[in-house]
Amino acid sequence: MDLVCEYEQMYQKQQRFTDLYGQLCEQFERIRKTAEALKLPWEGEANRQYLIRLESDLLRTVKTLDRLFLASEHLKESIAEYQKTEGLIRELIEGLNV
């Protein structure tokens, strides 16, 4: 009763999720830098409104990235628990066959 194939699939999906998260962080950093550069040339009410909206959007994006990071960590923990439980069940079954 070995589910290594299923574990491998979970691990590959977790790795893919982690890779995508990294790419998303890189893209966000590029967007943040571009948005920051736009702060300089503007003046007046339009600039103030832009900065307020920019800060709000950046904060929401950072919070979303934080939640995605936590999801990745939970996924890693879940896979480890899955493996641990699978090992315990295997030991129990092998003990019954003795």
Side-chain angles (χ1 to χ4, degrees):
M1 180 172 180
D2 195 16
L3 301 175
V4 173
C5 182
E6 190 171 327
Y7 163 72
E8 270 302 313
Q9 290 173 352
M10 287 189 295
Y11 179 75
Q12 289 171 0
K13 288 179 182 181
Q14 184 272 323
Q15 284 297 114
R16 178 75 175 132
F17 183 88
T18 301
D19 292 345
L20 289 172
Y21 171 77
Q23 292 173 17
L24 186 60
C25 288
E26 289 173 10
Q27 290 296 327
F28 172 71
E29 189 58 27
R30 286 186 194 135
I31 290 170
R32 189 192 63 73
K33 286 179 181 178
T34 301
E36 291 288 325
L38 290 174
K39 284 183 178 181
L40 301 174
W42 294 12
E43 292 183 14
E45 183 61 22
N47 186 35
R48 190 177 80 72
Q49 290 296 322
Y50 170 76
L51 293 175
I52 289 170
R53 184 58 193 219
L54 173 65
E55 291 303 317
S56 172
D57 290 347
L58 290 176
L59 282 174
R60 285 189 322 162
T61 304
V62 167
K63 287 181 181 179
T64 300
L65 289 172
D66 289 345
R67 287 193 301 264
L68 287 171
F69 177 77
L70 286 175
S72 177
E73 292 300 304
H74 289 307
L75 186 54
K76 287 177 192 175
E77 290 172 17
S78 296
I79 291 170
E81 278 299 311
Y82 178 89
Q83 271 190 301
K84 181 179 163 184
T85 303
E86 182 183 318
L88 290 173
I89 291 171
R90 184 180 314 123
E91 287 176 16
L92 289 171
I93 291 172
E94 287 171 358
L96 292 173
N97 292 332
V98 173

